[in-house]
Amino acid sequence: MKKIIIAIDGYSSCGKSTMAKALARKIGYLYFDSGAMYRAVALYCMQQGFIVDGNIDVERLRAAMSEIKITFTADGVTGNSLTVLNGVVVENEIRSLEVSQQVSRVAALDFVRAALIDQQREMGKAKGIVMDGRDIGTTVFPEAELKIFVTASAEVRARRRYDELVARGTTPDYNDILANVVERDHLDLTREVSPLRQAEDAILLDNGEMTIEGQLEWLCEEYKKCVEE
Ligand code: CDP
């Protein structure tokens, strides 16, 4: 069967990674979380003291960019993909609300995007991948054979993120999360370099009312249609 690239883009906290991971597992593709890479760069900035009073020291980050190595490894028990920043697994740290509050400013910097997009294209060279993010179908792989654009209301998305953070053992405030979801949407939609937008040939999926199983079934159908064409 022909191998394709599947690009899943959309608003923050839509459950893109849950669906992308499940699809990849089901069809034997590799899964890549491009947002995790932006999150890792934001975490690096926080660890290095590059962010003071919410302002990024852009020149220090630019100079350090070649020192930032982001890779993925598989969890020995669950097989889930874990993000590795300069040799250290940072999967939990990059999901914190503090990182969520910085990441979209870091992701708006052109030199950060250029560096990460190069790495993302490398990951897709052999095809057979599912990648989720904001600009995968528009900028990273405009030639992707299957493109999905996911959306749901901000409240539904904030509730999902809240549940995820609680499951990770933290005690977040729902209103802080909702404010963050709304702010990141705004920053992602209005930035100059590859803003969030639906590719013309992407299929729109509003998953606000869908179960995880229903969503996976829908995705598998779209995948089948695409490879059987
Ligand atoms: O999981 P969630 O959808 O909330 O976010 P994410 O996929 O982990 O991405 C975190 C942030 O990175 C987003 O809010 C974007 O600002 C940025 N991002 C991006 O600019 N381009 C991508 N391809 C992926 C993420």
Side-chain angles (χ1 to χ4, degrees):
M1 202 179 286
K2 74 169 174 182
K3 280 199 170 178
I4 62 168
I5 292 181
I6 303 175
I8 303 188
D9 288 305
Y11 291 89
S12 64
S13 314
C14 264
K16 295 183 299 292
S17 59
T18 305
M19 63 198 270
K21 252 183 244 166
L23 176 66
R25 189 167 296 165
K26 180 128 190 174
I27 64 178
Y29 273 28
L30 290 173
Y31 161 66
F32 292 104
D33 177 351
S34 69
M37 300 172 76
Y38 291 96
R39 286 175 179 272
V41 176
L43 178 67
Y44 179 89
C45 289
M46 289 161 68
Q47 290 172 339
Q48 300 295 317
F50 290 177
I51 303 180
V52 179
D53 297 331
N55 296 314
I56 306 164
D57 189 331
V58 175
E59 289 320 313
R60 282 178 74 201
L61 175 57
R62 193 194 303 272
M65 215 44 223
S66 60
E67 313 281 308
I68 307 178
K69 298 276 174 282
I70 302 162
T71 52
F72 294 99
T73 187
D75 183 305
V77 180
T78 61
N80 285 340
S81 160
L82 302 174
T83 311
V84 181
L85 170 62
N86 291 340
V88 180
V89 173
V90 290
E91 190 56 35
N92 261 325
E93 291 83 342
I94 60 168
R95 307 290 163 193
S96 69
L97 186 57
E98 290 72 25
V99 169
S100 296
Q101 282 162 341
Q102 303 301 337
V103 61
S104 296
R105 283 182 195 81
V106 172
L109 298 169
D110 56 355
F111 63 90
V112 172
R113 299 203 75 81
L116 297 192
I117 288 172
D118 276 353
Q119 294 184 29
Q120 291 156 6
R121 289 191 177 138
E122 226 15 77
M123 293 165 178
K125 267 201 165 149
K127 299 215 172 187
I129 67 157
V130 184
M131 190 177 284
D132 75 330
R134 300 292 185 285
D135 60 341
I136 310 306
T138 51
T139 304
V140 183
F141 299 118
E143 75 286 10
E145 291 84 352
L146 178 58
K147 300 180 186 176
I148 313 286
F149 190 84
V150 198
T151 184
S153 76
E155 288 73 18
V156 165
R157 292 184 281 128
R159 171 61 54 189
R160 288 179 182 158
R161 184 45 52 94
Y162 175 86
D163 291 343
E164 185 191 323
L165 288 170
V166 168
R168 282 178 188 271
T170 56
T171 45
D173 181 278
Y174 170 80
N175 289 320
D176 287 349
I177 295 176
L178 179 60
N180 175 252
V181 161
V182 172
E183 192 201 11
R184 276 198 293 143
D185 284 351
H186 175 73
L187 291 171
D188 291 346
L189 285 162
T190 57
R191 70 170 172 238
E192 268 174 42
V193 216
S194 54
L196 171 65
R197 65 177 172 80
Q198 182 178 348
E200 271 174 26
D201 50 351
I203 307 168
L204 181 67
L205 168 68
D206 184 333
N207 71 357
E209 303 280 315
M210 259 181 165
T211 61
I212 290 182
E213 297 73 34
Q215 182 173 278
L216 180 59
E217 209 173 295
W218 180 90
L219 261 179
C220 285
E221 276 307 306
E222 294 302 329
Y223 162 73
K224 264 194 222 141
K225 275 191 241 164
C226 189
V227 289
E228 282 165 6
E229 250 167 29

